Amino acid sequence: MSDHAQGGHGTFKSYMIGFLLSVVLTLIPFWIVLGDVMDSTGWAVAIIFTLGAMQMLVHIHYFLHVSLKVEAGWQAMSMGLTVLLLVIVMAGSIWVMFNLDENMMPAHEQIERVRNLP
Amino acid sequence: MSDTTIETPKEFYVIEDSHHDHAEHHETGTMLGFWIYLMSDCLIFGILFATYAVLGQNYAAGPAPVDLFEVDMILVATFMLLFSSITYGFAVLRMDVNDLRGTVLWLIVTGLFGAAFLFLELKEFIHLWHIGATPMASAFLSSFFFLVGTHGLHVLGGSIWLVVLLTQLGLHGLTHENKRRVMCLSLFWHFLDLIWIGVFSLVYLTGVLL
């Protein structure tokens, strides 16, 4: 009757695709950390975050069934607004606090340098 | 002037008369409202993530993530949550074909995986508390308990909701209202799994690496 109104539920196939993608995208970052396979920590963190973001997209598409179709536009719209706010809040606070940290908390060598001034 | 006054109600009438029936109209309203709630919850978690990102390195001469976290147990907990997500998906698929027994069974399996996740998290918290890594120890641990604890409380809330939903399904079967409730909890449950991706990436994996 109103299956149409409840939005796309997905099929067995789409749930399994989402699940298998999630398993792979979960195992790779844990393998990187547990297996200690990367020499560069920076690259390892970058890969972990990239795979995490990819898995979030997989969940949004295959499990939450957010679609860009017009009749479900409210869903994509409100999510877009939320993501915008999140980017502003998160990037803003991390950036500001990092700068504050750099400028207000003298690093050890800076203290030494000041101490050695004539 | 008089033209517009006649035309406006006409247009209004046409929109109301579009072939969506009444129940369907309410349905979209509930799903929209619940989605908006999830988005506001998402903002809460975003702020907690930002707090952790800022404070997560301030150990105050206390323990660092690498001393505290057991990544292999986190992997197990992650899979508990992932399994509960897919079994919830199966429950929704059984509901689509009006199979009450299948729906209830898969929902019970989902609840068991959720309980396993909660058990692992509680065990970790008790262990941390025992070795003195309390929220009072450092800014890192305060933000850690705030972020992971809030997620854990959400999973606990979702589990209680699941029990209530199972009771309602047992009493009334797959009625229209119950189907809507199952769909709302489905969104909530998958959303919590999504948040957990951020938690294990930022807190556990990155924390142990840095």
Side-chain angles (χ1 to χ4, degrees):
Chain A
M1 34 154 212
S2 58
D3 280 351
H4 166 75
Q6 281 160 344
H9 290 189
T11 57
F12 179 75
K13 204 178 136 206
S14 76
Y15 271 110
M16 282 319 279
I17 292 173
F19 176 68
L20 291 177
L21 281 175
S22 299
V23 168
V24 172
L25 291 172
T26 304
L27 284 178
I28 294 173
F30 275 93
W31 171 68
I32 287 175
V33 172
L34 286 172
D36 210 7
V37 284
M38 301 282 291
D39 290 329
S40 146
T41 314
W43 275 109
V45 171
I47 291 175
I48 287 171
F49 278 113
T50 313
L51 293 176
M54 279 165 67
Q55 200 184 339
M56 282 185 180
L57 290 178
V58 166
H59 276 237
I60 289 171
H61 181 72
Y62 288 103
F63 293 159
L64 288 171
H65 306 300
V66 176
S67 72
L68 296 170
K69 278 189 221 131
V70 181
E71 61 256 42
W74 47 268
Q75 213 179 13
M77 280 284 239
S78 55
M79 196 175 72
L81 177 65
T82 309
V83 170
L84 177 70
L85 287 174
L86 281 180
V87 168
I88 293 171
V89 168
M90 294 179 78
S93 46
I94 291 167
W95 177 31
V96 167
M97 293 310 288
F98 179 77
N99 252 328
L100 208 60
D101 208 36
E102 283 288 277
N103 295 325
M104 302 295 284
M105 306 285 265
H108 184 65
E109 67 242 36
Q110 265 177 314
I111 302 173
E112 290 296 308
R113 206 183 307 137
V114 172
R115 212 173 262 163
N116 293 337
L117 282 178
Chain B
M1 253 304 169
S2 59
D3 261 15
T4 46
T5 42
I6 295 166
E7 248 176 56
T8 321
K10 233 184 194 171
E11 264 179 57
F12 188 63
Y13 178 72
V14 170
I15 289 167
E16 279 285 288
D17 199 35
S18 69
H19 77 129
H20 293 251
D21 67 316
H22 210 59
E24 242 177 78
H25 203 70
H26 275 293
E27 188 96 294
T28 320
T30 307
M31 294 314 273
L32 172 61
F34 195 75
W35 182 256
I36 301 285
Y37 156 70
L38 281 187
M39 290 300 101
S40 68
D41 227 18
C42 197
L43 287 179
I44 292 178
F45 278 111
I47 289 160
L48 293 180
F49 275 120
T51 312
Y52 183 84
V54 169
L55 297 176
Q57 306 267 328
N58 302 346
Y59 308 129
V66 70
D67 311 317
L68 297 175
F69 300 151
E70 295 167 43
V71 178
D72 34 1
M73 284 322 285
I74 301 304
L75 181 61
V76 176
T78 304
F79 267 93
M80 290 299 119
L81 217 49
L82 195 54
F83 283 138
S84 78
S85 250
I86 187 70
T87 54
Y88 205 113
F90 292 155
V92 170
L93 290 179
R94 293 319 299 168
M95 189 185 77
D96 275 352
V97 292
N98 276 317
D99 175 6
L100 176 63
R101 234 177 93 82
T103 309
V104 167
L105 274 177
W106 281 118
L107 285 180
I108 290 172
V109 175
T110 305
L112 291 179
F113 278 124
F117 171 83
L118 281 174
F119 171 75
L120 287 172
E121 187 154 87
L122 192 66
K123 216 177 94 180
E124 189 200 7
F125 279 10
I126 290 172
H127 168 70
L128 290 180
W129 211 278
H130 232 69
I131 58 175
T134 59
M136 293 77 91
S138 64
F140 148 62
L141 282 164
S142 307
S143 54
F144 165 77
F145 274 102
F146 199 12
L147 171 59
V148 182
T150 306
H151 179 269
L153 280 179
H154 274 77
V155 177
L156 181 65
S159 305
I160 294 170
W161 183 359
L162 191 67
V163 172
V164 174
L165 190 62
L166 281 170
T167 317
Q168 281 177 324
L169 281 172
L171 285 176
H172 307 295
L174 284 172
T175 59
H176 187 74
E177 288 77 17
N178 275 344
K179 282 187 174 181
R180 192 185 61 218
R181 288 165 190 149
V182 170
M183 287 320 291
C184 280
L185 183 55
S186 160
L187 281 181
F188 189 67
W189 202 265
H190 292 311
F191 167 76
L192 290 182
D193 199 8
L194 192 149
I195 297 294
W196 182 252
I197 299 168
V199 173
F200 78 70
S201 298
L202 175 68
V203 177
Y204 291 104
L205 295 183
T206 309
V208 169
L209 275 183
L210 291 180

